[in-house]
């Protein structure tokens, strides 16, 4: 099922490309003996960026898949999946 | 200051390379319209991997930089920096 | 709207009473100069307990309110609210 | 070892009393069938309040216990304990 419209899809892929570059940058920071506090500040920024991607994905999931699931009676499946990602959020 | 021994440095860079590959994999998942719940499960795994890297960095920071800072009287600096990364942890 | 059945309602109130007692216990720990690491371990357990209550509340919300909202066309409201608690989860 | 000065001790106990009252308030909210999203917003505020207490406790721990431990050669103990609470932070 196609739940992301083309604009959101491009936006998410663009953001993930940036995050990929940031993870590559982290390797250079470690290799260059950058001060550890500065590296952790940067790993934290990457995690925040991934969380933003998750928010966007969940918004689309709720607006498309969950609506579809509930309308077609798959309530348990809808419930179980949203709870799963909600519990993951803490990681 | 060199606070990572060569073994930990290699280990962290190796892990970051894997995480970079996983972020690249995420782009392919999004591009291929993979089910959003599966993508969020994977973004969450990447964040967990970054958290593990942070744990390793902080362990080294505490064992080297903080010991050095406290021994040389830079207590406020040591305290402030550890609190900073502790507060970031929630992200 | 009544979205919690009586059994879940009693269960949640019972858990919150326990957590209230644990927060009272924390005050005694602080007052008695308990070792700070042990106190933080306990505050963390209380937060975990609250997160478990949230999981239970969200499960009920998804199974009742969200189903009702989507069936009656309030999709934007349903989406917005679930995203709100999802973003809160990080705290 | 007394690591909290009297002012911080009173401040932390006062905050915990407020949080205890908020957990009691949560029970009333659940009992009165308050809308679940509003309850989760409130549980999240309590968790945030507990995190603020943790920040204060850790600041004192770093400024007193860790300095003492490192000065007296208990580096491994200092390191292990700070890492423990750092990993708990994610909860």
């Amino acid at each position: 099922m196609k739940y992301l419209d083309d604009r959101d899809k491009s936006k998410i892929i663009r953001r993930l490309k940036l995050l990929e570059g940031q993870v590559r940058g982290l390797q250079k920071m470690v290799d260059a003996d950058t001060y550890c506090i500065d590296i952790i500040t940067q790993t934290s920024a990457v995690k925040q960026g991934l969380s933003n991607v998750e928010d966007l994905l969940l918004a689309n999931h709720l607006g498309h898949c969950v609506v579809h699931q509930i309308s077609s009676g798959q309530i348990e499946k809808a419930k179980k999946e949203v709870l799963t990602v909600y519990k993951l959020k803490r990681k």
Side-chain angles (χ1 to χ4, degrees), chain A residues 9-48:
Chain A
K9 199 167 156 172
S10 306
K11 196 205 245 178
I12 291 175
I13 293 179
R14 217 162 42 235
R15 285 200 194 178
L16 287 169
K17 258 193 228 302
L18 282 174
L19 292 167
E20 185 197 333
Q22 286 181 287
V23 177
R24 206 155 36 233
L26 279 166
Q27 295 162 44
K28 281 179 202 145
M29 289 175 92
V30 174
D31 193 51
D33 297 314
T34 305
Y35 191 49
C36 31
I37 300 297
D38 296 331
I39 303 179
I40 297 180
T41 304
Q42 185 61 13
T43 53
S44 178
V46 176
K47 288 197 290 180
Q48 183 62 56

Side-chain angles (χ1 to χ4, degrees), chain A residues 15-84:
Chain A
R15 285 200 194 178
L16 287 169
K17 258 193 228 302
L18 282 174
L19 292 167
E20 185 197 333
Q22 286 181 287
V23 177
R24 206 155 36 233
L26 279 166
Q27 295 162 44
K28 281 179 202 145
M29 289 175 92
V30 174
D31 193 51
D33 297 314
T34 305
Y35 191 49
C36 31
I37 300 297
D38 296 331
I39 303 179
I40 297 180
T41 304
Q42 185 61 13
T43 53
S44 178
V46 176
K47 288 197 290 180
Q48 183 62 56
L50 288 165
S51 292
N52 292 343
V53 166
E54 290 172 351
D55 292 349
L56 215 50
L57 286 166
L58 184 62
N60 275 281
H61 178 67
L62 291 167
H64 295 88
C65 312
V66 171
V67 169
H68 176 76
Q69 287 165 341
I70 288 179
S71 308
S72 63
Q74 304 174 65
I75 294 173
E76 277 314 305
K77 181 174 158 65
K79 198 172 131 179
K80 194 175 146 250
E81 291 179 346
V82 174
L83 277 177
T84 300

